[in-house]
Amino acid sequence: MPVENFGLQRQPFEVSGQPHTLVNTRPLQQGLSFLRDMLDDERGAAWVHGPAGSGKTTLARRFLQQSQDEMAVALVDGDGLYASQLLSCVLDQFGYEVAL
C-alpha cells in the first residue's frame, strides 16, 4: 500500500541501514519481549514474519543492539542464499573463514 495513503511522504522503515524514525510502540516492545522470552527458554524458537515494510528488520536490529553486550550476535539477510551460503555468512560475522 502506498505510504501516501497513511499521510506519509516516505517509507518509515528501511530494508537496509537505520530507520528514519524509531517509534517505541507497543508492538515493538511486545516483539522485543517475545524474542527475549524465546532466548531465555532453552527450547525456545522464534519466527518473525510480516509484509515488506512492517518493521521486521527494525525489530531484529533493535533486539540485537540490546543483546550484543550479553552475547555474540550476527544479523544476516538470507534472502536468496543457499543454506551453505547462509552458514558461511553467519560464521564470517563471528570471524571464522570456512570454505564449504
Side-chain angles (χ1 to χ4, degrees):
M1 181 172 285
V3 296
E4 295 81 20
N5 292 357
F6 298 103
L8 302 173
Q9 294 178 2
R10 62 183 180 190
Q11 181 62 260
F13 302 108
E14 293 294 329
V15 176
S16 61
Q18 296 298 320
H20 299 298
T21 305
L22 180 61
V23 180
N24 201 14
T25 62
R26 181 175 289 159
L28 176 61
Q29 289 303 310
Q30 289 172 334
L32 291 170
S33 177
F34 169 72
L35 292 175
R36 277 189 216 98
D37 289 347
M38 290 302 101
L39 187 63
D40 291 341
D41 184 345
E42 65 185 35
R43 297 166 294 153
W47 184 270
V48 178
H49 63 93
S54 63
K56 298 177 301 294
T57 301
T58 300
L59 173 66
R61 286 194 175 131
R62 183 72 168 187
F63 178 70
L64 294 178
Q65 187 179 49
Q66 292 178 353
S67 304
Q68 65 187 359
D69 291 338
E70 303 168 36
M71 64 185 141
V73 297
L75 178 62
V76 176
D77 181 356
D79 190 32
L81 298 180
Y82 292 108
S84 60
Q85 294 170 313
L86 179 63
L87 178 58
S88 290
C89 288
V90 171
L91 292 173
D92 184 56
Q93 286 199 22
F94 291 114
Y96 295 97
E97 292 183 32
V98 179
L100 301 174

Coordinates of all heavy atoms in Angstrom, one line a residue:
M1 N 0.8 -1.2 0.0 CA 0.0 0.0 0.0 C 0.9 1.2 0.0 O 1.9 1.3 0.8 CB -0.9 0.0 1.2 CG -1.8 1.1 1.3 SD -3.1 1.0 2.7 CE -4.1 -0.2 2.0
P2 N 0.6 2.2 -0.8 CA 1.4 3.4 -0.9 C 1.4 4.2 0.4 O 0.4 4.2 1.1 CB 0.8 4.3 -2.0 CG -0.1 3.3 -2.8 CD -0.5 2.2 -1.8
V3 N 2.6 4.7 0.8 CA 2.7 5.4 2.1 C 1.9 6.7 2.1 O 1.5 7.1 3.2 CB 4.2 5.7 2.4 CG1 5.0 4.5 2.6 CG2 4.8 6.6 1.3
E4 N 1.6 7.2 1.0 CA 0.8 8.4 0.9 C -0.6 8.2 1.5 O -1.3 9.1 2.0 CB 0.6 8.9 -0.6 CG 1.9 9.4 -1.2 CD 2.8 8.2 -1.7 OE1 2.2 7.1 -2.0 OE2 4.0 8.4 -1.9
N5 N -1.1 6.9 1.4 CA -2.4 6.6 2.0 C -2.4 6.8 3.5 O -3.5 6.9 4.1 CB -2.8 5.1 1.7 CG -3.1 4.9 0.2 OD1 -3.0 5.9 -0.6 ND2 -3.3 3.7 -0.2
F6 N -1.2 6.8 4.1 CA -1.2 7.0 5.6 C -0.7 8.4 5.9 O -0.4 8.7 7.1 CB -0.2 6.0 6.2 CG -0.6 4.5 6.0 CD1 0.0 3.7 5.0 CD2 -1.6 4.0 6.7 CE1 -0.4 2.4 4.8 CE2 -2.0 2.7 6.5 CZ -1.4 1.9 5.6
G7 N -0.6 9.2 4.9 CA -0.2 10.6 5.2 C 1.3 10.8 5.3 O 1.8 11.8 5.8
L8 N 2.0 9.8 4.9 CA 3.5 9.8 5.0 C 4.1 10.3 3.6 O 3.5 10.1 2.6 CB 4.0 8.5 5.3 CG 3.5 7.9 6.6 CD1 4.1 6.4 6.8 CD2 4.0 8.7 7.8
Q9 N 5.3 10.9 3.7 CA 5.9 11.3 2.5 C 7.0 10.3 2.0 O 7.4 10.3 0.9 CB 6.6 12.7 2.7 CG 5.6 13.8 2.9 CD 6.3 15.1 3.2 OE1 7.5 15.2 3.2 NE2 5.5 16.1 3.4
R10 N 7.4 9.4 3.0 CA 8.4 8.4 2.6 C 8.2 7.2 3.5 O 7.6 7.3 4.6 CB 9.8 8.9 2.7 CG 10.2 9.3 4.1 CD 11.6 9.9 4.1 NE 11.9 10.3 5.5 CZ 13.0 10.9 5.8 NH1 13.8 11.3 4.9 NH2 13.2 11.2 7.1
Q11 N 8.7 6.0 3.1 CA 8.6 4.8 3.8 C 9.3 4.9 5.2 O 10.5 5.3 5.2 CB 9.2 3.7 3.0 CG 9.2 2.3 3.6 CD 7.8 1.8 3.9 OE1 7.3 1.9 5.0 NE2 7.1 1.3 2.8
P12 N 8.7 4.7 6.3 CA 9.3 4.8 7.6 C 10.3 3.8 7.9 O 11.2 4.0 8.7 CB 8.2 4.8 8.6 CG 7.1 4.0 7.9 CD 7.3 4.3 6.4
F13 N 10.3 2.6 7.3 CA 11.2 1.5 7.6 C 12.0 1.2 6.4 O 11.5 1.1 5.3 CB 10.4 0.2 8.0 CG 9.6 0.4 9.2 CD1 8.2 0.5 9.1 CD2 10.1 0.6 10.5 CE1 7.4 0.7 10.2 CE2 9.3 0.8 11.6 CZ 8.0 0.8 11.4
E14 N 13.3 1.1 6.6 CA 14.2 0.8 5.5 C 14.6 -0.7 5.6 O 14.7 -1.3 6.6 CB 15.5 1.7 5.6 CG 15.3 3.1 5.4 CD 14.8 3.5 4.0 OE1 15.2 2.7 3.0 OE2 14.1 4.4 3.8
V15 N 14.9 -1.3 4.4 CA 15.4 -2.6 4.3 C 16.8 -2.7 4.7 O 17.3 -3.7 5.3 CB 15.1 -3.2 2.9 CG1 15.7 -4.6 2.8 CG2 13.7 -3.2 2.6
S16 N 17.6 -1.7 4.5 CA 19.0 -1.6 4.8 C 19.2 -0.3 5.6 O 18.5 0.7 5.4 CB 19.9 -1.7 3.6 OG 19.6 -0.7 2.7
G17 N 20.3 -0.3 6.4 CA 20.6 0.9 7.1 C 19.6 1.1 8.3 O 18.8 0.2 8.6
Q18 N 19.8 2.2 8.9 CA 18.9 2.5 10.1 C 17.6 3.1 9.6 O 17.6 3.8 8.6 CB 19.7 3.5 11.0 CG 20.9 2.9 11.6 CD 20.7 1.7 12.5 OE1 19.7 1.7 13.2 NE2 21.5 0.7 12.4
P19 N 16.6 2.9 10.4 CA 15.3 3.5 10.0 C 15.3 5.0 10.2 O 16.1 5.6 11.0 CB 14.3 2.9 11.0 CG 15.1 2.5 12.2 CD 16.5 2.1 11.6
H20 N 14.5 5.7 9.4 CA 14.4 7.2 9.6 C 13.9 7.6 10.9 O 14.4 8.5 11.5 CB 13.5 7.8 8.5 CG 13.8 7.5 7.1 ND1 15.0 7.9 6.5 CD2 13.2 6.8 6.1 CE1 15.1 7.5 5.3 NE2 14.0 6.8 5.0
T21 N 13.0 6.8 11.4 CA 12.4 7.1 12.7 C 12.1 5.8 13.5 O 11.8 4.8 12.9 CB 11.0 7.8 12.5 OG1 11.2 8.9 11.7 CG2 10.4 8.2 13.8
L22 N 12.4 5.8 14.8 CA 12.1 4.6 15.6 C 11.1 5.1 16.6 O 11.4 5.9 17.5 CB 13.3 4.1 16.3 CG 13.1 2.8 17.1 CD1 12.5 1.7 16.3 CD2 14.3 2.4 17.8
V23 N 9.9 4.6 16.5 CA 8.8 4.9 17.4 C 8.7 3.7 18.3 O 8.5 2.5 17.9 CB 7.5 5.1 16.7 CG1 6.4 5.4 17.6 CG2 7.6 6.2 15.6
N24 N 8.8 3.9 19.6 CA 8.8 2.8 20.6 C 7.4 2.4 20.9 O 6.8 2.8 21.9 CB 9.5 3.3 21.9 CG 10.0 2.2 22.7 OD1 10.0 1.0 22.3 ND2 10.4 2.5 23.9
T25 N 6.8 1.7 19.9 CA 5.4 1.4 20.0 C 5.2 0.1 20.9 O 6.1 -0.6 21.2 CB 4.8 1.1 18.6 OG1 5.5 0.0 18.1 CG2 4.9 2.3 17.7
R26 N 3.9 -0.1 21.2 CA 3.6 -1.3 22.0 C 3.9 -2.6 21.2 O 4.5 -3.5 21.7 CB 2.1 -1.3 22.4 CG 1.8 -2.6 23.2 CD 0.4 -2.6 23.7 NE 0.3 -1.6 24.8 CZ -0.8 -1.0 25.1 NH1 -2.0 -1.4 24.6 NH2 -0.9 -0.1 26.1
P27 N 3.6 -2.7 19.9 CA 4.0 -3.9 19.1 C 5.5 -4.1 19.1 O 6.0 -5.2 19.2 CB 3.5 -3.6 17.7 CG 2.3 -2.7 17.9 CD 2.7 -1.8 19.1
L28 N 6.3 -3.0 19.0 CA 7.8 -3.2 19.0 C 8.2 -3.7 20.4 O 9.0 -4.7 20.5 CB 8.5 -1.8 18.8 CG 10.0 -1.8 18.9 CD1 10.6 -2.8 17.9 CD2 10.5 -0.4 18.7
Q29 N 7.7 -3.2 21.5 CA 8.0 -3.7 22.8 C 7.6 -5.1 23.0 O 8.3 -5.9 23.6 CB 7.4 -2.8 23.9 CG 8.0 -1.4 24.0 CD 9.5 -1.5 24.3 OE1 9.9 -2.2 25.2 NE2 10.3 -0.8 23.5
Q30 N 6.4 -5.5 22.5 CA 5.9 -6.9 22.6 C 6.8 -7.8 21.8 O 7.1 -8.9 22.2 CB 4.5 -7.0 22.1 CG 3.5 -6.3 23.1 CD 2.1 -6.2 22.5 OE1 1.9 -6.2 21.3 NE2 1.1 -6.2 23.4
G31 N 7.3 -7.4 20.6 CA 8.2 -8.2 19.8 C 9.5 -8.4 20.5 O 10.0 -9.5 20.5
L32 N 10.0 -7.3 21.1 CA 11.3 -7.5 21.8 C 11.1 -8.4 23.0 O 12.0 -9.2 23.3 CB 11.8 -6.1 22.3 CG 12.2 -5.1 21.2 CD1 12.5 -3.7 21.8 CD2 13.5 -5.7 20.5
S33 N 10.0 -8.3 23.7 CA 9.7 -9.1 24.9 C 9.6 -10.6 24.4 O 10.2 -11.5 25.1 CB 8.5 -8.7 25.6 OG 8.1 -9.5 26.6
F34 N 8.9 -10.8 23.3 CA 8.8 -12.2 22.8 C 10.1 -12.8 22.4 O 10.4 -13.9 22.8 CB 7.9 -12.1 21.5 CG 7.9 -13.4 20.7 CD1 7.2 -14.5 21.2 CD2 8.5 -13.5 19.5 CE1 7.2 -15.7 20.5 CE2 8.5 -14.6 18.8 CZ 7.9 -15.7 19.2
L35 N 11.0 -12.0 21.8 CA 12.3 -12.5 21.4 C 13.2 -12.8 22.6 O 13.9 -13.8 22.7 CB 13.0 -11.5 20.5 CG 12.4 -11.4 19.1 CD1 13.1 -10.3 18.3 CD2 12.5 -12.7 18.3
R36 N 13.1 -11.9 23.7 CA 13.8 -12.2 24.9 C 13.3 -13.5 25.6 O 14.1 -14.3 26.1 CB 13.7 -11.0 25.9 CG 14.6 -9.9 25.6 CD 14.6 -8.8 26.7 NE 14.7 -7.6 26.1 CZ 13.8 -6.7 25.8 NH1 12.5 -7.0 26.1 NH2 14.1 -5.6 25.2
D37 N 12.0 -13.7 25.6 CA 11.4 -14.9 26.2 C 11.9 -16.1 25.5 O 12.2 -17.1 26.1 CB 9.9 -14.8 26.2 CG 9.3 -13.8 27.2 OD1 10.1 -13.3 28.0 OD2 8.1 -13.5 27.0
M38 N 11.9 -16.1 24.1 CA 12.4 -17.2 23.4 C 13.8 -17.5 23.6 O 14.3 -18.7 23.6 CB 12.1 -17.0 21.9 CG 10.6 -17.0 21.5 SD 9.8 -18.5 21.9 CE 8.9 -18.0 23.4
L39 N 14.6 -16.5 23.8 CA 16.0 -16.6 24.0 C 16.3 -17.2 25.4 O 17.2 -18.1 25.6 CB 16.8 -15.3 23.9 CG 18.3 -15.3 24.0 CD1 18.8 -16.1 22.8 CD2 18.8 -13.9 24.0
D40 N 15.5 -16.9 26.4 CA 15.6 -17.4 27.7 C 15.2 -18.8 27.9 O 15.6 -19.5 28.8 CB 14.9 -16.5 28.7 CG 15.5 -15.1 28.9 OD1 16.7 -15.0 28.5 OD2 14.8 -14.2 29.3
D41 N 14.3 -19.3 27.0 CA 13.8 -20.6 27.1 C 14.7 -21.6 26.3 O 14.9 -21.4 25.1 CB 12.4 -20.7 26.4 CG 11.7 -22.0 26.5 OD1 12.4 -23.0 26.8 OD2 10.5 -22.1 26.3
E42 N 15.2 -22.6 27.0 CA 16.2 -23.5 26.4 C 15.6 -24.2 25.2 O 16.3 -24.7 24.3 CB 16.8 -24.4 27.4 CG 15.8 -25.4 28.0 CD 16.4 -26.3 29.1 OE1 17.2 -25.8 29.8 OE2 15.9 -27.4 29.1
R43 N 14.3 -24.3 25.1 CA 13.6 -25.0 24.0 C 12.9 -23.9 23.1 O 12.2 -24.3 22.2 CB 12.5 -25.9 24.5 CG 13.1 -27.1 25.3 CD 12.0 -27.8 26.1 NE 11.5 -26.8 27.1 CZ 10.2 -26.8 27.6 NH1 9.4 -27.7 27.2 NH2 9.9 -26.0 28.5
G44 N 13.2 -22.7 23.3 CA 12.6 -21.6 22.6 C 13.0 -21.5 21.1 O 14.1 -21.8 20.7
A45 N 12.1 -21.1 20.3 CA 12.3 -20.8 18.9 C 11.4 -19.6 18.5 O 10.3 -19.5 19.0 CB 12.1 -22.0 18.0
A46 N 11.9 -18.8 17.6 CA 11.0 -17.6 17.2 C 11.1 -17.5 15.7 O 12.1 -17.8 15.1 CB 11.6 -16.3 17.9
W47 N 10.0 -17.1 15.2 CA 9.8 -16.8 13.8 C 9.1 -15.5 13.6 O 8.0 -15.3 14.1 CB 9.0 -17.9 13.1 CG 8.9 -17.8 11.6 CD1 8.0 -17.1 10.9 CD2 9.8 -18.3 10.6 NE1 8.2 -17.2 9.6 CE2 9.3 -17.9 9.4 CE3 11.0 -19.0 10.7 CZ2 10.0 -18.3 8.2 CZ3 11.6 -19.4 9.5 CH2 11.1 -19.0 8.3
V48 N 9.8 -14.5 13.0 CA 9.2 -13.2 12.8 C 8.8 -13.1 11.4 O 9.7 -13.3 10.5 CB 10.2 -12.1 13.2 CG1 9.6 -10.7 13.0 CG2 10.6 -12.2 14.7
H49 N 7.6 -12.8 11.1 CA 7.1 -12.7 9.7 C 6.1 -11.5 9.6 O 5.6 -11.0 10.6 CB 6.5 -14.0 9.2 CG 5.2 -14.3 10.0 ND1 4.0 -14.0 9.6 CD2 5.1 -15.0 11.1 CE1 3.1 -14.4 10.4 NE2 3.7 -15.1 11.4
G50 N 6.0 -11.0 8.4 CA 5.1 -10.0 8.1 C 5.4 -9.4 6.7 O 6.3 -9.8 6.1
P51 N 4.5 -8.5 6.3 CA 4.7 -7.9 5.0 C 5.9 -7.0 4.9 O 6.4 -6.5 5.9 CB 3.4 -7.1 4.7 CG 2.9 -6.8 6.1 CD 3.3 -8.0 7.0
A52 N 6.4 -6.8 3.7 CA 7.5 -5.9 3.5 C 7.2 -4.5 4.1 O 6.1 -4.0 4.0 CB 7.8 -5.7 2.0
G53 N 8.2 -3.9 4.8 CA 8.0 -2.6 5.4 C 7.3 -2.6 6.7 O 6.9 -1.5 7.1
S54 N 7.0 -3.7 7.3 CA 6.3 -3.7 8.6 C 7.2 -3.6 9.8 O 6.6 -3.5 10.9 CB 5.4 -5.0 8.6 OG 6.3 -6.2 8.7
G55 N 8.5 -3.6 9.6 CA 9.4 -3.4 10.8 C 10.1 -4.6 11.3 O 10.7 -4.6 12.3
K56 N 10.1 -5.7 10.5 CA 10.8 -6.9 10.9 C 12.3 -6.7 11.1 O 12.9 -7.1 12.1 CB 10.6 -8.1 9.9 CG 9.1 -8.5 9.8 CD 9.0 -9.6 8.7 CE 9.5 -9.2 7.3 NZ 8.8 -8.1 6.7
T57 N 12.9 -6.0 10.1 CA 14.3 -5.8 10.2 C 14.7 -4.8 11.4 O 15.6 -5.0 12.1 CB 14.8 -5.2 8.9 OG1 14.6 -6.1 7.8 CG2 16.3 -4.9 8.9
T58 N 13.8 -3.8 11.5 CA 14.0 -2.9 12.6 C 13.9 -3.6 14.0 O 14.7 -3.4 14.9 CB 12.9 -1.7 12.6 OG1 13.1 -1.0 11.3 CG2 13.1 -0.8 13.7
L59 N 13.0 -4.5 14.1 CA 12.8 -5.3 15.3 C 14.1 -6.1 15.6 O 14.6 -6.1 16.7 CB 11.6 -6.2 15.3 CG 11.4 -7.2 16.4 CD1 11.2 -6.5 17.7 CD2 10.3 -8.2 16.1
A60 N 14.5 -6.8 14.5 CA 15.7 -7.7 14.7 C 17.0 -6.8 15.0 O 17.7 -7.2 15.9 CB 16.0 -8.4 13.4
R61 N 17.2 -5.7 14.4 CA 18.3 -4.8 14.7 C 18.2 -4.3 16.1 O 19.2 -4.2 16.8 CB 18.4 -3.7 13.7 CG 18.9 -4.2 12.3 CD 19.3 -3.0 11.5 NE 19.9 -3.5 10.3 CZ 19.5 -3.2 9.1 NH1 18.7 -2.2 8.9 NH2 20.1 -3.7 8.0
R62 N 17.1 -3.9 16.5 CA 16.9 -3.4 17.9 C 17.2 -4.4 18.9 O 17.8 -4.2 19.9 CB 15.5 -2.8 18.0 CG 15.2 -2.2 19.3 CD 15.9 -0.9 19.4 NE 15.3 -0.2 20.6 CZ 15.6 1.0 20.9 NH1 16.4 1.7 20.1 NH2 15.1 1.6 22.0
F63 N 16.7 -5.6 18.7 CA 16.9 -6.8 19.6 C 18.4 -7.1 19.7 O 19.0 -7.2 20.8 CB 16.1 -8.0 19.2 CG 16.4 -9.2 20.0 CD1 15.9 -9.2 21.3 CD2 17.1 -10.3 19.6 CE1 16.1 -10.3 22.2 CE2 17.3 -11.3 20.4 CZ 16.8 -11.4 21.7
L64 N 19.1 -7.2 18.5 CA 20.5 -7.5 18.5 C 21.3 -6.3 19.2 O 22.3 -6.6 19.9 CB 21.0 -7.7 17.1 CG 20.4 -9.0 16.5 CD1 20.9 -9.1 15.0 CD2 20.7 -10.2 17.3
Q65 N 20.9 -5.1 19.0 CA 21.6 -3.9 19.6 C 21.5 -4.0 21.1 O 22.5 -3.8 21.8 CB 20.9 -2.7 19.0 CG 21.6 -1.4 19.5 CD 20.8 -0.2 18.9 OE1 19.6 -0.1 19.0 NE2 21.6 0.7 18.2
Q66 N 20.3 -4.4 21.6 CA 20.1 -4.5 23.0 C 20.8 -5.8 23.6 O 21.2 -5.8 24.8 CB 18.6 -4.6 23.4 CG 17.9 -3.3 23.1 CD 16.4 -3.5 23.4 OE1 15.9 -4.5 23.7 NE2 15.7 -2.3 23.3
S67 N 21.1 -6.8 22.8 CA 21.6 -8.0 23.3 C 23.1 -8.2 23.1 O 23.7 -9.1 23.7 CB 20.9 -9.2 22.6 OG 19.5 -9.1 22.7
Q68 N 23.7 -7.3 22.3 CA 25.1 -7.6 21.9 C 26.1 -7.5 23.1 O 27.2 -8.1 23.0 CB 25.6 -6.6 20.8 CG 25.6 -5.2 21.2 CD 25.9 -4.3 20.0 OE1 26.1 -4.8 18.9 NE2 25.9 -3.0 20.2
D69 N 25.8 -6.9 24.2 CA 26.6 -6.8 25.4 C 26.5 -8.1 26.1 O 27.4 -8.5 26.9 CB 26.3 -5.7 26.3 CG 26.6 -4.3 25.6 OD1 27.5 -4.3 24.7 OD2 26.1 -3.3 26.1
E70 N 25.5 -8.9 25.9 CA 25.2 -10.1 26.7 C 25.7 -11.4 25.9 O 26.0 -12.4 26.5 CB 23.8 -10.3 27.0 CG 23.1 -9.2 27.7 CD 21.6 -9.3 27.7 OE1 21.1 -10.4 27.8 OE2 21.0 -8.2 27.7
M71 N 25.8 -11.3 24.6 CA 26.2 -12.5 23.8 C 26.7 -12.0 22.5 O 26.6 -10.9 22.1 CB 24.9 -13.3 23.6 CG 23.8 -12.6 22.8 SD 22.3 -13.5 22.7 CE 21.1 -12.2 22.9
A72 N 27.3 -13.0 21.8 CA 27.7 -12.7 20.4 C 26.5 -12.8 19.5 O 25.7 -13.7 19.6 CB 28.7 -13.8 20.0
V73 N 26.4 -11.9 18.6 CA 25.2 -11.8 17.7 C 25.7 -11.6 16.3 O 26.7 -11.1 16.0 CB 24.3 -10.6 18.1 CG1 23.7 -10.8 19.5 CG2 25.0 -9.3 18.0
A74 N 24.8 -12.1 15.4 CA 25.0 -11.9 13.9 C 23.7 -11.6 13.3 O 22.7 -12.1 13.7 CB 25.6 -13.2 13.3
L75 N 23.7 -10.8 12.3 CA 22.5 -10.5 11.5 C 22.8 -10.7 10.1 O 23.7 -10.0 9.5 CB 22.0 -9.0 11.8 CG 20.8 -8.6 11.0 CD1 19.6 -9.4 11.4 CD2 20.5 -7.1 11.3
V76 N 22.1 -11.6 9.5 CA 22.4 -11.9 8.1 C 21.0 -12.0 7.3 O 20.1 -12.6 7.8 CB 23.0 -13.3 7.9 CG1 23.2 -13.7 6.5 CG2 24.4 -13.4 8.6
D77 N 21.0 -11.3 6.2 CA 19.8 -11.4 5.3 C 20.0 -12.6 4.4 O 20.9 -12.6 3.6 CB 19.7 -10.1 4.5 CG 18.5 -10.1 3.6 OD1 17.8 -11.1 3.5 OD2 18.3 -9.1 2.9
G78 N 19.2 -13.6 4.7 CA 19.4 -14.9 4.0 C 18.6 -15.0 2.7 O 18.6 -16.0 2.1
D79 N 18.0 -13.8 2.3 CA 17.2 -13.9 1.1 C 18.0 -14.3 -0.1 O 19.0 -13.7 -0.5 CB 16.6 -12.5 0.8 CG 15.6 -12.5 -0.3 OD1 14.9 -13.5 -0.5 OD2 15.4 -11.5 -1.0
G80 N 17.6 -15.4 -0.8 CA 18.3 -15.9 -2.0 C 19.6 -16.7 -1.7 O 20.3 -17.0 -2.7
L81 N 19.9 -16.9 -0.4 CA 21.1 -17.7 -0.1 C 20.8 -19.2 0.0 O 19.7 -19.5 0.6 CB 21.8 -17.2 1.2 CG 22.3 -15.7 1.2 CD1 22.9 -15.4 2.6 CD2 23.3 -15.5 0.1
Y82 N 21.7 -20.0 -0.4 CA 21.6 -21.4 -0.1 C 22.0 -21.6 1.4 O 22.6 -20.7 2.0 CB 22.5 -22.2 -1.0 CG 22.1 -22.3 -2.4 CD1 22.9 -21.6 -3.4 CD2 21.0 -23.0 -2.8 CE1 22.5 -21.6 -4.7 CE2 20.6 -23.0 -4.2 CZ 21.4 -22.3 -5.1 OH 21.0 -22.3 -6.4
A83 N 21.6 -22.7 2.0 CA 21.9 -23.0 3.4 C 23.4 -22.9 3.6 O 23.8 -22.3 4.6 CB 21.4 -24.4 3.8
S84 N 24.3 -23.4 2.8 CA 25.7 -23.3 3.0 C 26.2 -21.8 2.9 O 27.1 -21.4 3.7 CB 26.4 -24.1 1.9 OG 26.2 -23.7 0.6
Q85 N 25.6 -21.0 2.1 CA 26.0 -19.6 2.0 C 25.5 -18.9 3.2 O 26.3 -18.0 3.7 CB 25.3 -19.0 0.7 CG 25.9 -19.5 -0.6 CD 25.1 -19.0 -1.7 OE1 23.8 -19.1 -1.7 NE2 25.7 -18.5 -2.8
L86 N 24.3 -19.2 3.7 CA 23.8 -18.6 4.9 C 24.7 -18.9 6.1 O 25.1 -18.0 6.9 CB 22.4 -19.0 5.2 CG 21.7 -18.5 6.5 CD1 21.6 -17.0 6.4 CD2 20.4 -19.2 6.7
L87 N 25.1 -20.2 6.2 CA 26.0 -20.6 7.3 C 27.4 -19.9 7.2 O 27.9 -19.4 8.2 CB 26.2 -22.1 7.3 CG 27.1 -22.7 8.3 CD1 26.7 -22.3 9.8 CD2 27.3 -24.2 8.2
S88 N 27.9 -19.8 6.0 CA 29.2 -19.1 5.8 C 29.1 -17.6 6.2 O 30.0 -17.1 6.8 CB 29.6 -19.1 4.3 OG 30.0 -20.5 4.0
C89 N 28.0 -16.9 5.9 CA 27.8 -15.5 6.3 C 27.7 -15.4 7.8 O 28.3 -14.4 8.3 CB 26.5 -15.0 5.6 SG 26.6 -14.7 3.9
V90 N 27.0 -16.3 8.5 CA 27.0 -16.2 9.9 C 28.3 -16.4 10.5 O 28.8 -15.7 11.4 CB 26.0 -17.2 10.5 CG1 26.1 -17.3 12.0 CG2 24.5 -16.9 10.0
L91 N 29.0 -17.5 10.1 CA 30.4 -17.8 10.6 C 31.3 -16.6 10.3 O 32.2 -16.3 11.2 CB 30.9 -19.1 10.0 CG 30.2 -20.3 10.5 CD1 30.7 -21.6 9.7 CD2 30.3 -20.6 12.0
D92 N 31.2 -16.0 9.2 CA 32.1 -14.9 8.8 C 31.9 -13.7 9.8 O 32.9 -13.1 10.2 CB 31.8 -14.4 7.4 CG 32.7 -13.3 6.9 OD1 33.9 -13.6 7.0 OD2 32.2 -12.3 6.5
Q93 N 30.7 -13.5 10.3 CA 30.5 -12.4 11.2 C 31.1 -12.7 12.6 O 31.3 -11.8 13.3 CB 29.0 -12.1 11.3 CG 28.4 -11.4 10.1 CD 27.1 -10.7 10.4 OE1 26.7 -10.4 11.6 NE2 26.3 -10.5 9.4
F94 N 31.3 -14.0 12.8 CA 32.0 -14.3 14.1 C 33.5 -14.5 13.9 O 34.2 -15.0 14.8 CB 31.4 -15.6 14.7 CG 30.0 -15.3 15.2 CD1 28.9 -15.9 14.6 CD2 29.7 -14.5 16.3 CE1 27.6 -15.7 15.1 CE2 28.4 -14.3 16.7 CZ 27.4 -14.9 16.1
G95 N 34.0 -14.2 12.7 CA 35.4 -14.2 12.5 C 36.0 -15.5 12.0 O 37.2 -15.7 11.9
Y96 N 35.1 -16.5 11.6 CA 35.6 -17.7 11.0 C 35.6 -17.7 9.5 O 34.6 -17.2 8.9 CB 34.7 -18.9 11.5 CG 34.7 -19.1 13.0 CD1 33.7 -18.6 13.8 CD2 35.7 -19.9 13.6 CE1 33.7 -18.8 15.1 CE2 35.7 -20.1 14.9 CZ 34.7 -19.5 15.7 OH 34.7 -19.8 17.1
E97 N 36.6 -18.2 8.9 CA 36.7 -18.3 7.5 C 36.6 -19.8 7.1 O 37.5 -20.5 7.4 CB 38.0 -17.7 6.9 CG 38.0 -16.2 7.1 CD 39.3 -15.6 6.5 OE1 39.8 -16.1 5.5 OE2 39.8 -14.6 7.0
V98 N 35.5 -20.2 6.6 CA 35.2 -21.6 6.3 C 34.8 -21.7 4.8 O 33.9 -21.0 4.3 CB 34.0 -22.1 7.2 CG1 33.8 -23.6 6.8 CG2 34.4 -22.0 8.6
A99 N 35.5 -22.6 4.1 CA 35.1 -22.9 2.7 C 34.3 -24.1 2.7 O 34.7 -25.2 3.1 CB 36.4 -23.1 1.9
L100 N 33.0 -24.0 2.5 CA 32.1 -25.1 2.5 C 31.9 -25.6 1.0 O 31.9 -24.9 0.1 CB 30.7 -24.7 3.0 CG 30.7 -24.2 4.4 CD1 29.3 -23.6 4.8 CD2 31.1 -25.3 5.4

